Amino acid sequence: MTEQLYGNVQEPRYARTMGLSMASVALVIAGGVSTFFLMQFFAVPIHFAAIALLVAIVGVWFLETGRKQGRTRLERAVGAHMFRKSKKKGASTYLSGPTSRMPDGSHRAPGLLASTEMFEGTDHLGRPFAFLWDRVKKTGTVFFTASASGLDLQDQEVIDFLVSGWGGYLHQSGTLAALEQVAVTVTSMRDTGERLPAAVQEHRSRVDASAVPTFAREAVDEIVADVNAGVGRIDARIAVTFSGAPNPDEGLDARSREDLMGEVMVHLPAMIEQLELSGGGVVSYLAAQEIIDTTYVAYNPEAAVAVEQARLSGVGTGLTWEEVGPVHAVNEVDRYEHGGGISLSFQVWRAPAGVFRESSLMALLKADDVSEQKRVTILYRPLSAEQSQKRVQTAVADADYETNQKGRKATGAQLASAARVKQTEAEVSARGASLIRFSFIITVTVMDPAALRRVPSMVRNAAQTGVQLSVRPSTGNEDAAFAIGLGLGIVPAKWASVSPQLRQAL
């Protein structure tokens, strides 16, 4: 049976007048009006008054040209200025512990995670689950671990059912008024080499050593030594983030951490059932200590072996959420240095050129021989049915305006985009489909600085294998991209310094 194609992935497009953005049109109008007023009311000579119009034209040129990897010249200039400003103020260097400026002398996670607190609750069956609360953004996140079986030996009908199940789960998520984001994080890493020997040793402790032939014991030891060398390990985690902020459109008042935690507990059993039906395999909650340990290893990759040994010993690490951060970290323009490791983060900035297949992301998700740790985090933000309707109606109006401007012939790309938008409107209106915003963050951590030069080409090649994903480095924002890529419930839109309306105008 042939491989199926999935998705109706579209990049949001907004109406442009004569090919110019709203901000550019406003600049031209402002320049023309200023020139007129200077000439009419202040008697300024035309060659001086026209300077206002010339400034507006230069501003339009600055806004409309020089676009690189989805960023305008203005965006790149503002980003570079902000990074230089933070560097000058010393904000790009993080120091924790008793000798730092931390009020409690702790080793908190820096940046976007500094305002988070870890709690643990129990569901109606007494099963513990982690609840990460952000006291500034008023969001709470719960975590699930999944052990999916993969695509091997799966019939196409089963794969189609699983893909449909995941789409159904995201659609259902859009019906929960408080739900903000669903994040799926797949982490591939080099196995510490501690788990398999520990499992064999535990099994041997349960049987009589004299009953096992020497040859069998030696054969098992040899197999363990061979199999355990350079083995990759892949973990999958799902983080579901809820908002406790007021939402007048949905009739929700502001809720405290306790209130939001109680509300989330009601949805947890149904979430596990839906995730299992969508291909998650055996899905279970992640306890607070598991989130703490994995976050600590992400920020301190040198401690991976010690953490694994402590967990396998049964004693545990004893770490708290206030200790997961690095002792020292530096945000450089092109990398993030932390805990003995160096990380580079990449963003997918454009809709894929091709279509999605079930195997499209396999090259990106699998372990490689360069990364100490590699995390691929997909952030999903489902829209409600009402929001989806409003968005597609606006998109159709924008597409009609752009393709029907007088004196300007629509391009093939504009006509094709308009057709896709109208197809989406039909699906949303007739079938009750929902729109889902999504984005990717890819983070690669290496221990050897010499391996850094191999990382960008490796990520680009993997992203373009199977599906044409366009990636760009998180220039100047490596620390923030690293934190978002951890899949700990950070909603990037809540931390953006530029409003969506301003970005749309640009």
Side-chain angles (χ1 to χ4, degrees):
M1 185 174 291
T2 59
E3 196 173 28
Q4 297 294 313
L5 309 180
Y6 302 102
N8 180 15
V9 182
Q10 299 180 33
E11 188 174 354
R13 291 177 60 89
Y14 302 100
R16 299 172 71 87
T17 304
M18 302 301 292
L20 299 178
S21 66
M22 188 186 303
S24 297
V25 172
L27 272 178
V28 172
I29 294 174
V33 170
S34 299
T35 301
F36 174 78
F37 272 88
L38 288 172
M39 292 173 59
Q40 289 292 109
F41 297 100
F42 298 97
V44 176
I46 186 172
H47 53 280
F48 286 115
I51 293 177
L53 183 58
L54 180 62
V55 170
I57 293 174
V58 172
V60 171
W61 171 84
F62 191 78
L63 288 175
E64 297 293 335
T65 63
R67 187 176 292 271
K68 183 180 180 181
Q69 292 184 317
R71 290 191 177 111
T72 63
R73 197 191 305 270
L74 177 62
E75 287 177 304
R76 298 201 307 275
V78 170
H81 171 72
M82 296 299 291
F83 177 78
R84 289 193 299 268
K85 184 178 179 180
S86 67
K87 193 83 171 175
K88 186 176 180 180
K89 293 171 61 177
S92 61
T93 300
Y94 175 75
L95 181 66
S96 64
T99 60
S100 70
R101 297 180 181 179
M102 301 288 286
D104 55 356
S106 63
H107 299 277
R108 288 182 175 274
L112 305 185
L113 291 170
S115 58
T116 56
E117 300 172 313
M118 179 62 74
F119 298 90
E120 190 168 76
T122 54
D123 68 356
H124 65 291
L125 296 177
R127 296 172 296 185
F129 64 90
F131 187 82
L132 189 61
W133 170 252
D134 190 324
R135 61 180 182 275
V136 172
K137 301 302 179 182
K138 304 300 180 185
T139 59
T141 305
V142 293
F143 304 89
F144 305 89
T145 181
S147 56
S149 57
L151 299 178
D152 295 338
L153 303 178
Q154 296 277 19
D155 293 333
Q156 189 63 48
E157 292 86 350
V158 175
I159 295 173
D160 293 344
F161 175 78
L162 297 178
V163 172
S164 176
W166 177 246
Y169 169 73
L170 293 177
H171 171 74
Q172 189 68 22
S173 298
T175 65
L176 300 178
L179 191 142
E180 282 277 344
Q181 178 178 274
V182 177
V184 179
T185 302
V186 178
T187 305
S188 59
M189 67 192 82
R190 296 180 183 177
D191 196 278
T192 59
E194 301 292 330
R195 292 187 302 164
L196 185 57
V200 172
Q201 185 62 36
E202 181 183 359
H203 178 73
R204 285 176 173 174
S205 66
R206 298 176 181 176
V207 299
D208 184 7
S210 61
V212 180
T214 304
F215 173 77
R217 182 179 293 273
E218 292 176 351
V220 170
D221 291 339
E222 184 177 349
I223 292 172
V224 169
D226 292 340
V227 172
N228 215 32
V231 175
R233 173 182 172 184
I234 297 179
D235 293 332
R237 184 174 73 201
I238 302 167
V240 184
T241 302
F242 296 83
S243 175
N247 187 343
D249 292 339
E250 299 292 343
L252 296 176
D253 297 326
R255 284 143 298 161
S256 65
R257 189 262 307 172
E258 293 82 0
D259 293 337
L260 185 62
M261 201 169 178
E263 180 181 335
V264 169
M265 286 173 58
V266 177
H267 302 297
L268 290 181
M271 284 187 182
I272 286 188
E273 182 178 354
Q274 290 172 339
L275 289 171
E276 288 179 341
L277 290 175
S278 61
V282 179
V283 178
S284 59
Y285 306 126
L286 279 171
Q289 193 62 52
E290 295 176 275
I291 299 296
I292 290 170
D293 292 344
T294 54
T295 305
Y296 179 80
V297 171
Y299 275 110
N300 302 273
E302 284 186 330
V305 175
V307 169
E308 191 72 40
Q309 290 174 342
R311 291 174 62 88
L312 291 172
S313 68
V315 177
T317 62
L319 293 168
T320 64
W321 185 249
E322 289 70 29
E323 299 172 312
V324 299
V327 175
H328 179 260
V330 179
N331 179 40
E332 298 290 353
V333 68
D334 59 347
R335 65 188 182 278
Y336 183 49
E337 302 175 0
H338 57 97
I342 307 173
S343 293
L344 276 73
S345 295
F346 303 83
Q347 308 161 5
V348 174
W349 62 273
R350 183 168 59 188
V355 293
F356 270 100
R357 297 173 172 84
E358 63 261 18
S359 58
S360 291
L361 298 180
M362 294 298 291
L364 191 61
L365 299 178
K366 70 179 182 181
D368 56 69
D369 58 352
V370 177
S371 312
E372 187 71 20
Q373 299 176 8
K374 181 174 68 174
R375 279 184 303 279
V376 179
T377 297
I378 309 177
L379 308 174
Y380 299 94
R381 298 192 64 202
L383 296 176
S384 66
E386 182 180 358
Q387 291 171 331
S388 297
Q389 287 279 1
K390 290 181 179 179
R391 182 67 191 93
V392 295
Q393 290 168 3
T394 302
V396 169
D398 287 346
D400 288 340
Y401 173 79
E402 197 168 31
T403 56
N404 294 292
Q405 294 180 29
K406 291 184 178 180
R408 183 179 176 85
K409 185 178 180 180
T411 64
Q414 290 173 337
L415 293 173
S417 177
R420 289 196 298 269
V421 167
K422 292 178 180 179
Q423 176 191 349
T424 303
E425 182 194 26
E427 293 176 354
V428 171
S429 302
R431 304 178 188 176
S434 298
L435 297 182
I436 300 171
R437 297 161 291 182
F438 73 98
S439 59
F440 287 73
I441 294 289
I442 304 162
T443 301
V444 175
T445 300
V446 299
M447 306 303 294
D448 183 6
L452 280 178
R453 63 189 65 177
R454 297 178 56 191
V455 171
S457 60
M458 179 196 72
V459 172
R460 281 196 299 268
N461 292 339
Q464 293 176 358
T465 301
V467 63
Q468 298 289 323
L469 292 178
S470 299
V471 298
R472 67 186 179 198
S474 303
T475 305
N477 292 292
E478 291 285 349
D479 55 345
F482 182 91
I484 295 171
L486 291 174
L488 294 175
I490 298 174
V491 182
K494 289 183 173 290
W495 293 93
S497 55
V498 178
S499 67
Q501 291 78 14
L502 180 57
R503 288 185 61 87
Q504 178 179 339
L506 294 173

